[in-house]
Amino acid sequence: MTDTTTDVGGIAADRLRSFIERIERLEEEKKGIQDDIKEIYAEAKGTGFEPKVIRKVISLRKKSKEDRQEEETLLELYKQALGME
Amino acid sequence: MTDTTTDVGGIAADRLRSFIERIERLEEEKKGIQDDIKEIYAEAKGTGFEPKVIRKVISLRKKSKEDRQEEETLLELYKQALGME
Amino acid sequence: MTDTTTDVGGIAADRLRSFIERIERLEEEKKGIQDDIKEIYAEAKGTGFEPKVIRKVISLRKKSKEDRQEEETLLELYKQALGME
Amino acid sequence: MTDTTTDVGGIAADRLRSFIERIERLEEEKKGIQDDIKEIYAEAKGTGFEPKVIRKVISLRKKSKEDRQEEETLLELYKQALGME
């Protein structure tokens, strides 16, 4: 039986290469998804929606209704205290 | 023919919802990939590799050999000029 | 007249060192300011204010009243379209 | 004795305003320092230095000589294992 691992300077070269290539593949996939997301925002903008506000809605949807409403109440209070309409 | 679009306050609600749900799905996929990448780094670390150095190697592999070598030459020069060994 | 520049490997070592030390000093100052900002948020929190909402108010204050109101109107519209209260 | 605090909706408006203005002033200072740093990099570039490599040197100077040398040794080992020159 032969050991198929290429040992370079005490390093299991094959394992290292495998880790690196797996990470690179996943990073490429991630990059593809990021591009897809950008395209959807562009498409939404082309349809007349405001990307910035969509982003805000998405971030609000991650919160519970209670947290959201509490934050909105505080925000209104602070704005009022500062004289912002 | 009927228009199936729900119009809320002048907004094509269905379209908006569709954009947002597509983005949320992709963000979830992206999150999954990021977790996978983290796991590979952890696995590599468990095998004895140094994640920080793997990250560096991956960033170097994105550059051409020429750019890489030029940067390394400059780095050595600057370190020498500053008395860093 | 003597040239006081130390030339190391074709590099004006003194100039390089000067650039680097100036950058490092500024980065330290920046770090100090960031710590000060953190402390104020902590102090505000200790007084009963919500740091997250303060952050939001500060970001709103950077916008014109018109931009702010337009974004708020859109946000309400989108939330309504999605059935978010 | 009069209480000079303006109370708006149960909020100590003056305190809130004071926190916010202190943060805004510090953020402005921070922005100024960031601009100064950018200018030094531009000046260094104008003198013939490579900003990217200066950045690298600065990050290396934050580490101990031992850590730096260990990382360099590992990097060389990994590059060799992957056949990168």
Side-chain angles (χ1 to χ4, degrees):
Chain A
M1 217 182 94
T2 46
D3 187 346
T4 57
T5 304
T6 354
D7 189 297
V8 183
I11 294 273
D14 288 351
R15 292 223 62 182
L16 178 61
R17 180 180 297 278
S18 157
F19 283 129
I20 285 173
E21 289 177 353
R22 280 162 66 200
I23 292 169
E24 286 175 341
R25 261 195 306 275
L26 286 167
E27 280 184 350
E28 218 161 303
E29 270 184 58
K30 187 177 137 185
K31 176 77 176 54
I33 290 177
Q34 282 169 329
D35 290 346
D36 288 348
I37 292 174
K38 248 186 235 166
E39 260 173 57
I40 299 177
Y41 275 111
E43 197 189 330
K45 187 176 182 161
T47 319
F49 293 107
E50 182 60 58
K52 205 161 27 181
V53 182
I54 291 184
R55 211 175 297 275
K56 179 70 190 156
V57 167
I58 287 174
S59 114
L60 289 177
R61 277 162 64 97
K62 288 181 188 142
K63 301 181 180 180
S64 74
K65 190 175 147 187
E66 288 68 33
D67 286 355
R68 217 167 60 217
Q69 288 179 342
E70 196 195 318
E71 277 174 41
E72 272 165 25
T73 304
L74 282 180
L75 183 59
E76 282 319 304
L77 219 55
Y78 291 9
K79 283 167 68 181
Q80 198 187 331
L82 297 162
M84 296 164 77
E85 304 161 59
Chain B
M1 218 182 96
T2 48
D3 187 347
T4 57
T5 306
T6 355
D7 189 298
V8 182
I11 294 272
D14 289 352
R15 291 224 62 183
L16 179 60
R17 179 178 299 278
S18 156
F19 283 129
I20 285 174
E21 289 177 352
R22 281 163 65 199
I23 292 169
E24 286 177 339
R25 261 195 307 275
L26 287 168
E27 281 184 350
E28 219 161 302
E29 270 184 58
K30 189 177 137 184
K31 177 76 178 52
I33 290 177
Q34 281 168 329
D35 290 345
D36 288 348
I37 292 175
K38 252 186 233 165
E39 259 174 57
I40 299 177
Y41 275 111
E43 197 189 331
K45 187 174 182 160
T47 319
F49 293 108
E50 183 58 61
K52 204 161 29 180
V53 182
I54 291 185
R55 212 176 295 276
K56 179 70 190 157
V57 167
I58 287 175
S59 114
L60 289 176
R61 276 162 63 96
K62 287 181 188 142
K63 300 180 183 182
S64 75
K65 190 175 147 186
E66 287 69 33
D67 286 356
R68 218 167 60 217
Q69 289 179 342
E70 196 195 318
E71 277 174 40
E72 273 165 24
T73 304
L74 282 180
L75 182 59
E76 283 318 304
L77 219 55
Y78 290 10
K79 282 167 68 181
Q80 197 188 333
L82 296 162
M84 296 164 76
E85 302 162 61
Chain C
M1 220 181 94
T2 46
D3 186 349
T4 57
T5 305
T6 356
D7 188 297
V8 182
I11 294 273
D14 289 351
R15 293 224 61 183
L16 178 60
R17 179 179 298 277
S18 157
F19 283 129
I20 285 173
E21 289 176 353
R22 281 162 65 199
I23 293 169
E24 285 175 340
R25 261 195 306 277
L26 287 168
E27 281 183 351
E28 219 161 303
E29 271 184 58
K30 188 177 138 185
K31 177 76 178 54
I33 290 176
Q34 282 168 329
D35 290 345
D36 289 348
I37 293 174
K38 252 186 232 166
E39 260 174 55
I40 299 177
Y41 274 112
E43 198 190 330
K45 188 174 182 161
T47 319
F49 293 108
E50 182 60 62
K52 204 161 31 179
V53 182
I54 291 185
R55 212 175 296 276
K56 180 69 190 159
V57 167
I58 288 175
S59 114
L60 289 176
R61 276 161 64 96
K62 288 182 187 140
K63 300 180 182 180
S64 74
K65 190 175 146 187
E66 288 68 34
D67 285 357
R68 217 167 61 217
Q69 289 179 340
E70 196 195 318
E71 278 174 41
E72 274 165 23
T73 305
L74 282 180
L75 183 58
E76 283 319 303
L77 219 55
Y78 290 11
K79 282 167 68 180
Q80 197 188 332
L82 296 162
M84 295 164 76
E85 302 163 58
Chain D
M1 217 181 96
T2 46
D3 187 347
T4 57
T5 305
T6 355
D7 188 298
V8 183
I11 293 272
D14 289 351
R15 291 223 64 181
L16 178 62
R17 179 179 298 277
S18 157
F19 283 130
I20 285 174
E21 289 177 352
R22 281 163 65 200
I23 293 169
E24 285 176 341
R25 261 195 307 277
L26 287 168
E27 281 184 349
E28 219 161 302
E29 271 183 57
K30 189 177 137 184
K31 176 76 177 54
I33 290 177
Q34 281 168 330
D35 290 345
D36 289 348
I37 292 174
K38 250 186 235 167
E39 260 174 56
I40 299 177
Y41 275 112
E43 197 189 331
K45 187 175 183 162
T47 319
F49 293 108
E50 183 59 60
K52 204 160 30 180
V53 182
I54 291 185
R55 212 175 295 275
K56 180 70 190 157
V57 167
I58 288 175
S59 115
L60 289 177
R61 277 161 64 97
K62 287 181 188 141
K63 301 181 181 180
S64 75
K65 190 174 145 185
E66 288 67 34
D67 285 357
R68 216 168 61 217
Q69 288 179 342
E70 196 195 317
E71 276 174 41
E72 273 165 25
T73 304
L74 282 180
L75 183 58
E76 282 320 303
L77 219 56
Y78 290 10
K79 283 167 67 180
Q80 198 188 331
L82 297 162
M84 295 164 76
E85 302 161 60

